[in-house]
Amino acid sequence: MADDVFKALADPTRRRILDELVERDGQTLFEICTRLVTKHGLGSSRQAISQHLAVLESAGLVLSRRQGRYKFHDLNTAPLERAMTRWLRPGTPESTHEDPPVQRLRR
């Protein structure tokens, strides 16, 4: 699982998507694309951003929920905490670390 998290974080576009979800959680694909263009000058297609979101979802960093015809994306920091446990809390084995509840980054 930690490998998926690091793979997801390796791409700068995916890190920017996470930055946008930190700033404003619960965005649709359209909202994320708009913010990436206006704030970062990223002109990626909606399909490309959707594929990045799929990678983030498979790593557990983004959770999706549907409301009517809209799909909202929320940040989940629990996989980051699990991946970093060995450095943040030495002596705590990764495999026996209890999963924390779903968390969101706050600045």
Side-chain angles (χ1 to χ4, degrees):
M1 183 72 166
D3 290 340
D4 292 340
V5 171
F6 290 117
K7 177 186 170 195
L9 293 174
D11 185 86
T13 300
R14 290 193 282 268
R15 290 193 304 269
R16 286 190 180 116
I17 292 169
L18 291 176
D19 289 341
E20 291 305 317
L21 290 174
V22 166
E23 195 170 305
R24 187 169 160 268
D25 218 7
Q27 295 183 60
T28 64
L29 174 61
F30 177 78
E31 291 170 317
I32 293 169
C33 290
T34 302
R35 290 173 68 98
L36 289 173
V37 167
T38 57
K39 290 178 70 180
H40 303 283
L42 254 175
S44 299
S45 68
R46 284 177 38 176
Q47 182 178 4
I49 299 303
S50 181
Q51 290 173 346
H52 284 299
L53 283 166
V55 172
L56 291 167
E57 275 188 74
S58 70
L61 293 168
V62 170
L63 302 173
S64 295
R65 58 186 161 83
R66 287 201 175 273
Q67 285 183 346
R69 49 185 271 212
Y70 297 101
K71 184 177 181 182
F72 295 93
H73 304 280
D74 298 296
L75 179 65
N76 178 23
T77 60
L80 282 173
E81 187 171 331
R82 282 194 306 271
M84 300 297 145
T85 296
R86 67 175 148 201
W87 296 295
L88 295 174
R89 286 184 233 125
T92 304
E94 273 184 272
S95 58
T96 61
H97 178 68
E98 185 178 312
D99 288 348
V102 173
Q103 299 174 4
R104 289 180 177 79
L105 289 175
R106 303 257 187 240
R107 284 190 177 164

